[in-house]
Amino acid sequence: MDKIIVKGGKKLEGEVQISGSKNAALPILFGTLLTDDEVTVENVPSLADVNTAVSFLNFIGKKTVKKGGIVQGYKSQNYRHIAPYDLVRKMRASVLIMGPLLAKLGKVDVSLPGGCAIGARPIDLHLEGLEKLGAEIEVENGFVKLNSKGRLKGGAIKFRFASVGATENIMLAAVLAEGRTTIDNAAKEPEIKDLAVFLNKMGAKVRGAGTKQIIIDGVEKLGGVKHSVIPDRIEAATYLIAAAITKGKILLKNTEPKHLKSVIEKLKKSGMKIEEGADFILAQWIGALKPQNIITSVYPGYPTDVQAQWCALMSLTKGKSKIKETVFENRFMHIAELLRFGANLRIDGNTVYADGIESLSGAPVMVSDLRAGAALVLAALAAKGKSVISRIYHLDRGYECLEKKLRKLGADIKRVKS
Ligand code: UD1
């Protein structure tokens, strides 16, 4: 298994190109199943999760090829309705196959999901929503089997929690259903809006994406499409925090500052100088940072996917702060590893209490999930001495060219095979 070795203490300075959003690309790629025609998706990041999605589409029967940042789906027919364990276990977002396949074929059998080890992460909201559209559901031998016995019918769905994945799955199913579907307490994340833009370009009728009520009028058929994925706001936030933690100055290009308001606001309050343009953000360290509390929540609140990185920053920001996680249970696996760098952090329930110190020292650490991995890389970049980070396959699921981008900014970082 590969490892990353970092010699910390270098100020990061320069420009970084932000990649397309993983979390927007995945539902869009699964959405290509909704048409038999050709599709082109641009600005797709080269990541393990994207490769899994492409393999999945080919397995299902939609001939799909990825070259650089472009994914091309070809005219296809005769899809399979089975999502096997070997593909689903690699990536939780594989459950997004349910909506499109149910809409297209009237049935789908999906192995129960795997993915990042952050809490129980059930799929009850996905299933309750699809049931409201007419699916009959059975769970058997580790598979969820859905059958609509004909075309899905529009329905009224109200989520008890604004789940991103469940909102996407229902959108992907309802676009081809008969009649109107309303989703109340829908997720408002930018990735939901991007999915709606993509679906509408295919001929779907989706309104309200980005607000808490989405209305979908089903159509009979969807056509080919060309679409470019939005920039990755979580990758961008990670580089903003890299500038803060290394006392550096980083210009982020191909980014969407308006998707990052909550993170930018916290960084500004802590003392970072931040300039924003139409598609860039310049983050500059101009003096000692002040601790800032955060509470993760659904968009436009502070993203849970940037919680671990904030813990790394607060462990090096002198003074006390609180980091509260409200979206996932058990999303603090990075804390035990941050302690190995010498950080002063304590978990109590869903809150981390940080008492920031002057410096961390390099250490051998292990990645438990994607964003925990980002936090460990950030801590290693700032720590004195050498760190060896193992189980980095988690990072390859979500950060395109991570070492290359960081090296260009001046980091002493390399990947070694072991
Ligand atoms: C997506 C993102 C992930 C991000 C998360 C929250 C993708 C591929 N992943 O994950 O990076 O951290 O949004 O912004 O886009 N829940 C249920 N029942 C369900 C579904 C979810 O109880 O049926 C719970 C989850 O356990 C969790 C919370 O709802 O506690 C949020 O999950 P959700 O918004 O669905 O996240 P994902 O779509 O899995």
Side-chain angles (χ1 to χ4, degrees), residues 344-405:
N344 198 348
L345 305 165
R346 179 174 63 82
I347 306 173
D348 188 359
N350 66 353
T351 304
V352 169
Y353 293 84
D355 195 351
I357 51 177
E358 200 77 50
S359 67
L360 298 177
S361 55
V365 289
M366 197 188 277
V367 178
S368 57
D369 62 82
L370 171 55
R371 307 304 169 186
L376 300 183
V377 170
L378 289 169
L381 289 169
K384 287 191 177 137
K386 179 174 150 184
S387 296
V388 180
I389 306 172
S390 54
R391 300 218 175 149
I392 56 169
Y393 52 86
H394 290 290
L395 282 162
D396 295 334
R397 293 188 40 225
Y399 288 92
E400 187 176 45
C401 302
L402 179 67
E403 310 97 84
K404 203 169 153 199
K405 288 185 184 184

Side-chain angles (χ1 to χ4, degrees), residues 143-417:
F143 275 79
V144 192
K145 299 182 172 181
L146 297 100
N147 197 320
S148 64
K149 308 228 159 92
R151 194 174 170 196
L152 291 166
K153 304 232 170 1
I157 292 156
K158 185 168 181 166
F159 288 129
R160 65 177 153 74
F161 180 87
S163 155
V164 174
T167 302
E168 290 166 346
N169 235 337
I170 302 308
M171 289 166 74
L172 288 163
V175 284
L176 285 180
E178 190 184 331
R180 175 168 290 188
T181 298
T182 52
I183 311 176
D184 279 299
N185 199 22
K188 295 182 285 192
E189 271 67 5
E191 293 77 19
I192 302 280
K193 220 169 159 177
D194 202 30
L195 178 60
V197 170
F198 166 80
L199 292 168
N200 286 342
K201 282 188 197 164
M202 291 171 103
K205 292 187 177 156
V206 181
R207 284 182 290 137
T211 74
K212 64 182 183 196
Q213 187 184 58
I214 300 178
I215 300 170
I216 301 162
D217 287 309
V219 296
E220 287 200 3
K221 203 167 180 269
L222 294 171
V225 58
K226 186 172 180 179
H227 181 75
S228 182
V229 172
I230 55 169
D232 197 311
R233 64 193 169 97
I234 308 302
E235 186 198 24
T238 305
Y239 283 99
L240 291 176
I241 295 178
I245 205 165
T246 66
K247 304 181 177 173
K249 181 179 177 185
I250 302 182
L251 175 64
L252 279 65
K253 293 187 125 177
N254 180 36
T255 187
E256 186 64 82
K258 67 173 188 286
H259 294 165
L260 283 151
K261 276 191 181 143
S262 59
V263 177
I264 289 175
E265 188 193 308
K266 286 290 171 190
L267 283 168
K268 279 185 174 166
K269 276 193 177 159
S270 78
M272 286 291 288
K273 186 175 173 206
I274 311 248
E275 278 173 49
E276 297 161 50
D279 62 354
F280 73 85
I281 308 173
L282 176 64
Q284 187 178 3
W285 187 89
I286 47 170
L289 300 184
K290 294 185 283 295
Q292 290 297 318
N293 301 337
I294 59 152
I295 301 178
T296 67
S297 84
V298 296
Y299 190 82
Y302 188 95
T304 172
D305 284 352
V306 194
Q307 177 259 103
Q309 298 89 318
W310 197 259
C311 290
L313 181 63
M314 287 303 101
S315 62
L316 269 170
T317 302
K318 263 198 123 185
K320 293 189 193 313
S321 55
K322 283 191 268 185
I323 295 119
K324 187 169 173 182
E325 173 60 56
T326 72
V327 179
F328 287 105
E329 50 182 78
N330 195 16
R331 199 177 194 176
F332 285 144
M333 318 255 267
H334 43 285
I335 299 302
E337 299 302 298
L338 287 172
L339 296 183
R340 293 167 161 277
F341 293 104
N344 198 348
L345 305 165
R346 179 174 63 82
I347 306 173
D348 188 359
N350 66 353
T351 304
V352 169
Y353 293 84
D355 195 351
I357 51 177
E358 200 77 50
S359 67
L360 298 177
S361 55
V365 289
M366 197 188 277
V367 178
S368 57
D369 62 82
L370 171 55
R371 307 304 169 186
L376 300 183
V377 170
L378 289 169
L381 289 169
K384 287 191 177 137
K386 179 174 150 184
S387 296
V388 180
I389 306 172
S390 54
R391 300 218 175 149
I392 56 169
Y393 52 86
H394 290 290
L395 282 162
D396 295 334
R397 293 188 40 225
Y399 288 92
E400 187 176 45
C401 302
L402 179 67
E403 310 97 84
K404 203 169 153 199
K405 288 185 184 184
L406 287 170
R407 253 195 316 271
K408 200 171 154 237
L409 292 168
D412 186 338
I413 182 168
K414 65 177 181 197
R415 179 181 292 242
V416 291
K417 306 249 175 228

